[in-house]
Amino acid sequence: MLSCEKLEKQQLSPRGQLILDAAQKLFLKHGFDETSLEMIITESGGSRRSIYNEFGNKQGLLMAVLHQQITLQTQTIASINTTKLAHQEALKEMCFRFVKGMVSDTLVSLFRLVIQVIPKLPEVGDLIYEKGPLKGMKPLTEYLMQLNDKKILAIDDPFYATHMLIEMVKGRLHFKVILLPNNKITDAEIHQHVDTAVDLFLKAYRVEN
């Protein structure tokens, strides 16, 4: 099965990407245990050899699906041009995009899938814990470090501050979407929650005169 280190370095072939997309679609539709390699091969037009060469096995495919989503989340946040925004607005935009991703149908479905498979595949839990939301918010940590260096905020531990801000902005909404699948989270609701949380965060880390 793929390790976290190999996932970081791996470059998929076009065929490998088709296999990965098919695996994600089928995992979310049928679940991990109920999805067979034959189903993935039929959906993608690949072969067992292609799967073994690029992913190792079905567990490796699941790890690659999760890693791809983490990477997409990171890229979405990193694409924000913070130099053109006031720091309050930059933080709110970063957090909005993070929460928007966390409550999306794809990530919510993957979250439920992961909870089911972790007892049998604890290495999946390792990937999420080590390379999940905190890695996805690496751009935020780097931005908080900049704000500290510029003495806009007083942040002695940017990694801890990032963790706290993540929990503040996602906690209630993520909990809600997991427990109430028929209750869709609107952009307006995300903005309202994020704005309140970020304002509280800024008060906690304001520079004392």
Side-chain angles (χ1 to χ4, degrees), residues 52-143:
Y52 293 148
N53 286 344
E54 298 210 49
F55 305 101
N57 53 25
K58 192 171 75 168
Q59 291 94 325
L61 265 170
L62 177 59
M63 296 280 276
V65 166
L66 296 171
H67 184 267
Q68 177 175 253
Q69 291 301 320
I70 293 167
T71 300
L72 289 173
Q73 179 86 327
T74 306
Q75 290 173 346
T76 297
I77 297 168
S79 67
I80 298 171
N81 188 348
T82 57
T83 61
K84 293 186 177 181
L85 297 170
H87 69 276
Q88 299 95 328
E89 298 309 314
L91 287 174
K92 289 177 181 179
E93 181 63 21
M94 285 181 168
C95 291
F96 172 81
R97 293 194 190 186
F98 174 77
V99 176
K100 178 81 171 175
M102 289 296 293
V103 302
S104 68
D105 290 342
T106 297
L107 289 192
V108 168
S109 296
L110 281 174
F111 180 83
R112 293 195 178 106
L113 181 68
V114 164
I115 294 302
Q116 293 175 353
V117 304
I118 281 177
K120 291 185 291 186
L121 299 173
E123 56 270 29
V124 172
D126 292 339
L127 173 66
I128 299 300
Y129 187 78
E130 295 176 12
K131 308 292 183 179
L134 287 180
K135 177 178 173 56
M137 290 300 280
K138 182 180 178 182
L140 173 60
T141 302
E142 294 173 346
Y143 185 58

Side-chain angles (χ1 to χ4, degrees), residues 23-32 35 105-106 109-110 113:
Q24 176 173 306
K25 176 182 176 181
L26 292 169
F27 287 155
L28 296 184
K29 183 177 181 180
H30 301 289
F32 179 75
T35 299
D105 290 342
T106 297
S109 296
L110 281 174
L113 181 68

Side-chain angles (χ1 to χ4, degrees), residues 1 4 6 12 14 21 29 36 45 56 67 87 95 117-118 143 147 172 178-179 186:
M1 186 175 63
C4 292
K6 288 182 179 179
L12 292 180
D21 292 342
K29 183 177 181 180
S36 66
H67 184 267
H87 69 276
C95 291
V117 304
I118 281 177
Y143 185 58
L147 295 180
R172 181 177 66 83
I178 292 297
L179 296 180
T186 66

